[in-house]
Amino acid sequence: MTATIAYVGNADSQDISVVRVLADGGLELVETTRVPGPSAPGPSLPLAITADRRRLFAGIRSEPYAAVAFEIDLDTGRLMLLGSGPLFDSMAYLSIERTGQYLFSASYGGNRVAVNRIGTDGIVAPAQQVIATEPKAHAILADPANRYVLHTSLGSDLVHQQRFDAATGRLAPNTPYTAPLPA
């Protein structure tokens, strides 16, 4: 795909706008894709895309919590539904580590982060690891080398530092485990 495509999660309508970015900076709607799930939308619709740009995941933030997987058409950017798998909680943030085998998520209200394996079919398996955090877990990301994961807690102005084992998908506390930030 040579065009730049943007994906916008729309919480109120529980759909994803697929938008082509034009050379002049304008935007052109490619399609709007419904995200299947509960009839009552959650407070946001977080999205995550794999590093190879082949799959996109949307987080359902009302019960039953789920990660909905889509295959991306590499020529057009259009989305094709693959299916959904369970999330541990209402996750405000999703990301995928560099190999595309694990989904990371952060629960703002639940004060936890989680790791889910992504199957070869693109469907997310139940959480294999859930870690309690300080209040208001807000984001979770792997570093470019895929060796460490950082996640934030807005309620305590901390960044948690974890080692990441890409072979098992397990997180383990780094030393030091947290780094304070200015309030």
Side-chain angles (χ1 to χ4, degrees), residues 48-170:
I49 193 167
T50 56
D52 65 6
R53 306 281 192 247
R54 293 182 180 273
R55 291 190 176 141
L56 178 134
F57 296 83
I60 302 295
R61 296 199 57 209
S62 55
E63 292 191 54
Y65 308 122
V68 181
F70 295 89
E71 186 82 23
I72 298 172
D73 182 306
L74 295 178
D75 293 324
T76 66
R78 292 179 181 271
L79 300 173
M80 180 180 68
L81 179 66
L82 294 174
S84 65
L87 289 177
F88 181 77
D89 201 346
S90 174
M91 300 304 197
Y93 193 92
L94 304 178
S95 68
I96 299 162
E97 53 78 43
R98 307 300 181 216
T99 70
Q101 296 180 70
Y102 297 97
L103 174 83
F104 298 135
S105 56
S107 174
Y108 185 84
N111 309 317
R112 294 181 276 245
V113 296
V115 181
N116 296 65
R117 178 179 281 282
I118 300 170
T120 56
D121 59 358
I123 306 302
V124 173
Q128 68 176 36
Q129 186 176 18
V130 177
I131 299 169
T133 69
E134 301 297 323
K136 301 178 182 171
H138 195 259
I140 180 168
L141 288 166
D143 77 310
N146 218 34
R147 293 179 45 215
Y148 299 95
V149 168
L150 303 175
H151 52 94
T152 57
S153 294
L154 297 182
S156 59
D157 299 319
L158 292 173
V159 175
H160 299 262
Q161 305 175 109
Q162 307 251 225
R163 291 185 313 278
F164 175 60
D165 182 340
T168 65
R170 300 290 297 175

